[in-house]
Amino acid sequence: MIKLVNDSSAGLFDDAIRFAQRQLRALIERYPGFYPMYTDAGRWKHAREPWTHWCDGFLPGMLWIVYARHHPAGGPEAGWWRQQAIRYSLPLEPRKLDRAVHDLGFVFMSSYYRWHGFTPDPALKAVVLEAGRTMALRFQEKGAYLRSFVSPDSLFIDIMMNVGIIFYAARETGDQALTDVALRHCYTTRRVLVRGDGSTAHEGLFDLETGEFLRQSTHQGYRGDSCWSRGLAWALYGFGTAYAYARDPMLLATAEACADFYIRHTPADGVPPWDYDAPADSRALLDTSAAAIASSGLFQLSGLVADAAKGHFYGETARHILATLCRDWLAESDPQWEGILKGGVYHIHKNLGVNESVMWGEYFFLEALDRANV
């Protein structure tokens, strides 16, 4: 169980943000125009496979977060970060029509959505809206879910992190059909992938003829009936985002159930094993990317719950996890390491990005630091 301690984290967070900025600057100067996914022996550019094309929004998203921190002061430094954020956002636009992946929320809510927050240009907003409509085309009427990139009968817990772009498009256009798609997907995910104790499965499989749910499965977890920690963090965060749009109490209750499982079953410092049900020797492998996602998701959840005491607890837990990442997992002491946060896990079964830096870990770590209001 996570155990909170009284310590001063502000200095840690300041230092981590400065280190993240140095690593980001070095990345884009070393590999201009390159969108990394995970490191191999600490290096971003390598020939290992991506499995799926889902991470391109994270680098521009991080650049927008850094720009936001420099924006109030203005000047050349802010201008440089804005220039780079635009440079890495613009090439993503054609993917607003990409039907090959279920990750358009990751691609566009981190990039174009943040960009539009600084530049209220209707053309920027239109890109996000079109991506939301494209995402909704994944909906399987029989079964009532957004299909994964793997096959039409497959539902991933990860999609809870991407359904927000459909909610956004629905809200901004007044399209009730989009709202219905997003909500029905959330309800199905809650029913078939979130268990009674708040743990989660990675994948659900359906009968395409009848829409009947068949079984829980996995591509990334230890077993179909285990709890893959990154998937749990996606659910914690994603159901909170869905509640922020829809204000359905069931969505908030689900986010809290996942958060409470994370808090009860994660070691005291806040960094979970890659899968909570893996054998003891395998469970020793931790996943800092799951911790970063959970920290940012808990910060979000702290502002959504009505109970002030519970909100404070979630916020302090997020801060505790973040402090652990800053103290124990930064790559600052390793000058040859090109990432920010060590100890991430991408795909253990394919041996991809295991105990490395991963771009979603980098992004949500920086987002959590930003949400800590340092």
Side-chain angles (χ1 to χ4, degrees), residues 210-277:
T210 66
E212 176 189 0
F213 174 67
L214 300 177
R215 67 184 184 277
Q216 295 177 348
S217 181
T218 191
H219 293 264
Q220 302 233 39
Y222 173 61
R223 292 187 313 225
D225 63 346
S226 71
C227 184
W228 172 52
S229 64
R230 190 164 88 237
L232 176 69
W234 290 145
L236 183 168
Y237 192 129
F239 277 100
T241 299
Y243 173 74
Y245 281 108
R247 295 292 163 173
D248 183 323
M250 186 274 288
L251 301 175
L252 180 60
T254 305
E256 290 188 65
C258 295
D260 294 345
F261 184 94
Y262 186 97
I263 292 166
R264 286 195 309 273
H265 294 274
T266 296
D269 67 358
V271 180
W274 73 276
D275 190 297
Y276 290 97
D277 300 295

Side-chain angles (χ1 to χ4, degrees), residues 143-216:
Y145 61 93
L146 296 161
R147 57 156 292 186
S148 81
F149 83 99
V150 172
S151 60
D153 63 344
S154 165
L155 160 65
F156 274 17
I157 195 67
D158 317 43
I159 300 173
M160 281 305 306
M161 289 293 289
N162 292 278
V163 71
I165 198 170
I166 304 178
F167 278 117
Y168 174 75
R171 186 187 71 189
E172 297 302 306
T173 63
D175 188 334
Q176 185 59 43
L178 288 177
T179 300
D180 291 344
V181 162
L183 279 172
R184 292 173 70 196
H185 172 81
C186 292
Y187 297 154
T188 299
T189 303
R190 174 65 182 93
R191 178 172 61 85
V192 305
L193 295 188
V194 183
R195 307 183 184 107
D197 62 357
S199 66
T200 55
H202 178 205
E203 181 185 38
L205 296 175
F206 293 79
D207 184 312
L208 291 176
E209 293 297 319
T210 66
E212 176 189 0
F213 174 67
L214 300 177
R215 67 184 184 277
Q216 295 177 348

Side-chain angles (χ1 to χ4, degrees), residues 16 24 48 65 74 86 90 100 124 186 191 212 220 248 312:
L24 278 172
R48 305 295 303 280
I65 291 171
I86 293 173
L90 276 172
L124 299 177
C186 292
R191 178 172 61 85
E212 176 189 0
Q220 302 233 39
D248 183 323
H312 177 76

Side-chain angles (χ1 to χ4, degrees), residues 245-327:
Y245 281 108
R247 295 292 163 173
D248 183 323
M250 186 274 288
L251 301 175
L252 180 60
T254 305
E256 290 188 65
C258 295
D260 294 345
F261 184 94
Y262 186 97
I263 292 166
R264 286 195 309 273
H265 294 274
T266 296
D269 67 358
V271 180
W274 73 276
D275 190 297
Y276 290 97
D277 300 295
D281 56 341
S282 176
R283 202 163 59 246
L285 176 65
L286 307 182
D287 185 3
T288 59
S289 75
I293 298 158
S295 178
S296 192
L298 285 166
F299 274 127
Q300 173 181 250
L301 194 56
S302 71
L304 294 174
V305 294
D307 185 323
K310 182 175 282 189
H312 177 76
F313 173 68
Y314 285 149
E316 288 304 301
T317 304
R319 190 174 292 273
H320 173 67
I321 297 168
L322 197 53
T324 295
L325 295 176
C326 292
R327 264 193 300 265

